[in-house]
Amino acid sequence: MQKINSWQQYHEQAKKLIQIAIPILLAQIAQNSMGLVDTIMAGRVSAADMAAISVGASIWFPLVLFGQGLLLALPPTISYLNGSGQRSDIAHQVRQGLWIILLVCIPLGLLIYHSDVVIQAMNMEEKLANITIGYLHTMLFGLPAYLLLINFRCLNDGVAKTKPAMVITFIGLLLNIPLNYIFIYGKFGVPAFGAIGCGIATSIVNWAMCIMMIAYSRQSYHLHDLKVFEQLIEKPDFSTLKKLLKLGFPIATALWAEVALFALTSLFLSPLGTDMVASHQIALNTSSFVFMFPMSLGMATTILVGQRLGEKSPEQAKKVSYIAIAVGLNITVITAFVTIFWREQIAQIFVKDLHVITLASSLLIVASLYQFSDTLQVLAGGVLRGYKDTKAILYITIFCYWILAMPIGYTLAMTDWIMPHLGAMGFWIGFVVALTAAAVLLLYRMWRLQGLSDELLLSRLELIK
């Protein structure tokens, strides 16, 4: 009887986890689809316009992701307060998030605005440089809206209401297509802006999604008792800001370090020819798509672990973490199987060149192994964020990506020191080694944290709530 009850508990927790994770996953797919739509529609104008989107995104994305990472301190904080019955304190966290946005918007805005310094230093052709600069300058208008959207999305995610973000992001995708059509190709009396029109459309979409998310947060009966909007602008509370930034800065830095690593590998491979870079990009795009599954599950895990800890139930938080890992590995078995057995068909989606397909197919075999390590490390990281232990994530990420992955990958890919250089395959071997190490270290950290006595663990969490 006890085994049946225990199984039912695990089943219920797994069901809740999946219910929270699926809307996050669909929102991620919609968000990524916007970038794909931009690339395809700009590519119909010229190769330079399509390239400008790619170069601009490589500058925009790491910077904006850093700002987003700072705000990712909110979901575990809000979920803990929600679980512990301290809902009256949630509004304060959200309002202080507005000060974080103001704090980060200014330097990020200046870096994006003056990105022409970096672009000119890259010695790219003048037409491409001008389009890229124009694209980034128009994207800049949507920066505050994007961060405000994230702030209020974190509010909803923190109380386990992940469907609003999914619905709003899909509306944003549907809005993005006609706006791109108007501003890229010049319709209804509007001049044709090409790739710069993508920046205009994206900024408008960001503001539209931001307004929808704020309107939902204001009207939702789930959030009425929080009274977030009664006094939306309050004085900065340096104690709260310090706690949020202490949690958020390691997340932001770890995200930036990860994005920078993959961006650099593409640059290092560029002297080896377009076929090598193309095959690497196919494996990277495929892995990025698959990564959305464990990432969504990891974000859901953070929310549920935070709630259980707020309910003063470390044992239930532990169960959530084990269930998340079990669910994640089951999904990864499927995605790895698909990646291995349909690797050539996957490569053919991107290109028709047989040599590139052959190169990409070999990389996708390694990418299937990479998925297991990636799933374990992102889920363990999600658990640790629920425990508000973000410094460990930063230290482990920096060590594994930059002390292990980059030197190993560069040595195998670009030099003949150990064996004849392997090109892109060398970097992918480095990724597998680094992510396996990250998974082991993060799981060990999780195990050590969960081994603390309930009293000590809960007292630590109360200090940083």
Side-chain angles (χ1 to χ4, degrees):
M1 188 68 174
Q2 190 175 0
K3 284 185 179 179
I4 293 172
N5 288 336
S6 179
W7 168 252
Q8 286 177 340
Q9 283 183 0
Y10 275 100
H11 180 74
E12 283 299 313
Q13 294 281 21
K15 189 177 175 182
K16 285 180 184 176
L17 197 62
I18 292 168
Q19 284 175 343
I20 295 171
I22 286 175
I24 296 173
L25 171 64
L26 294 175
Q28 290 294 329
I29 291 172
Q31 187 74 49
N32 286 1
S33 297
M34 288 187 206
L36 181 63
V37 166
D38 285 354
T39 303
I40 292 170
M41 294 183 78
R44 292 175 69 89
V45 177
S46 74
D49 285 84
M50 186 170 71
I53 298 287
S54 177
V55 175
S58 68
I59 294 172
W60 165 270
F61 190 58
L63 293 172
V64 173
L65 202 60
F66 183 84
Q68 182 175 336
L70 293 177
L71 294 169
L72 287 179
L74 288 170
T77 302
I78 290 169
S79 63
Y80 180 82
L81 293 171
N82 186 48
S84 62
Q86 301 176 73
R87 283 173 66 89
S88 58
D89 292 338
I90 290 175
H92 175 63
Q93 310 296 323
V94 177
R95 292 167 188 159
Q96 292 302 305
L98 299 177
W99 288 108
I100 292 176
I101 292 170
L102 182 63
L103 177 73
V104 77
C105 245
I106 295 170
L108 288 183
L110 288 171
L111 286 169
I112 293 166
Y113 184 78
H114 292 290
S115 56
D116 56 317
V117 176
V118 176
I119 291 166
Q120 299 296 349
M122 292 169 70
N123 293 321
M124 63 178 69
E125 59 182 77
E126 188 178 354
K127 181 183 176 182
L128 176 57
N130 290 337
I131 296 172
T132 305
I133 293 165
Y135 170 74
L136 285 168
H137 284 178
T138 53
M139 288 282 283
L140 186 55
F141 290 103
L143 175 64
Y146 182 77
L147 293 177
L148 282 167
L149 167 67
I150 296 299
N151 190 63
F152 286 95
R153 175 180 173 172
C154 287
L155 164 62
N156 286 276
D157 286 355
V159 296
K161 300 297 176 186
T162 53
K163 286 182 181 178
M166 175 192 73
V167 173
I168 289 168
T169 309
F170 268 101
I171 293 171
L173 174 61
L174 293 175
L175 187 60
N176 189 53
I177 295 168
L179 286 173
N180 269 352
Y181 179 73
I182 292 167
F183 289 105
I184 293 173
Y185 307 127
K187 304 296 178 181
F188 307 110
V190 175
F193 289 102
I196 295 172
C198 283
I200 297 169
T202 301
S203 290
I204 294 171
V205 169
N206 282 343
W207 278 107
M209 292 194 299
C210 170
I211 291 166
M212 284 187 280
M213 183 61 79
I214 292 172
Y216 174 83
S217 302
R218 189 182 181 93
Q219 298 300 323
S220 173
Y221 71 90
H222 295 295
L223 305 174
H224 273 174
D225 64 306
L226 302 183
K227 301 177 181 178
V228 174
F229 295 90
E230 280 195 3
Q231 187 187 342
L232 186 59
I233 307 300
E234 64 179 21
K235 291 180 180 179
D237 182 330
F238 293 105
S239 174
T240 302
L241 286 171
K242 184 180 177 182
K243 288 177 183 177
L244 288 174
L245 290 172
K246 195 174 180 181
L247 285 175
F249 185 77
I251 298 172
T253 308
L255 287 172
W256 183 86
E258 183 176 353
V259 172
L261 172 73
F262 288 108
L264 268 179
T265 55
S266 297
L267 289 175
F268 283 137
L269 287 171
S270 56
L272 300 182
T274 54
D275 286 0
M276 186 67 72
V277 175
S279 65
H280 172 68
Q281 203 60 42
I282 289 167
L284 207 54
N285 286 345
T286 305
S287 294
S288 296
F289 179 80
V290 171
F291 180 68
M292 288 191 287
F293 290 89
M295 182 180 68
S296 303
L297 196 60
M299 292 171 74
T301 303
T302 297
I303 294 164
L304 269 189
V305 167
Q307 279 191 2
R308 299 298 169 260
L309 292 170
E311 292 165 359
K312 306 290 186 280
S313 182
E315 189 60 35
Q316 289 299 318
K318 199 182 295 186
K319 282 183 181 178
V320 169
S321 63
Y322 297 155
I323 290 164
I325 290 169
V327 172
L329 286 175
N330 275 290
I331 293 171
T332 304
V333 168
I334 298 168
T335 57
F337 179 86
V338 170
T339 303
I340 289 174
F341 286 93
W342 280 279
R343 59 188 184 276
E344 289 185 4
Q345 288 83 351
I346 290 169
Q348 286 168 8
I349 294 170
F350 296 90
V351 292
K352 299 300 179 189
D353 187 297
L354 288 176
H355 184 236
V356 175
I357 290 169
T358 302
L359 288 172
S361 297
S362 63
L363 293 179
L364 287 170
I365 294 173
V366 181
S368 65
L369 298 173
Y370 162 104
Q371 289 171 25
F372 288 94
S373 301
D374 214 9
T375 294
L376 287 171
Q377 68 91 16
V378 77
L379 291 176
V383 172
L384 291 175
R385 281 197 297 274
Y387 283 90
K388 301 183 183 178
D389 188 38
T390 56
K391 278 187 180 178
I393 299 171
L394 172 61
Y395 298 147
I396 290 169
T397 299
I398 296 294
F399 172 74
C400 291
Y401 285 0
W402 289 96
I403 307 300
L404 291 181
M406 183 53 77
I408 291 172
Y410 186 87
T411 301
L412 293 175
M414 308 300 293
T415 74
D416 300 326
W417 296 344
I418 298 174
M419 60 181 73
H421 70 271
L422 299 175
M425 180 64 77
F427 278 117
W428 280 88
I429 292 170
F431 295 159
V432 172
V433 171
L435 285 171
T436 302
V440 170
L441 291 170
L442 288 167
L443 286 169
Y444 177 71
R445 177 65 180 177
M446 183 186 87
W447 175 73
R448 285 290 302 270
L449 203 56
Q450 292 177 339
L452 297 175
S453 67
D454 290 359
E455 294 78 14
L456 178 58
L457 183 60
L458 292 171
S459 64
R460 284 175 57 171
L461 288 168
E462 277 295 313
L463 288 173
I464 54 174
K465 68 182 181 182

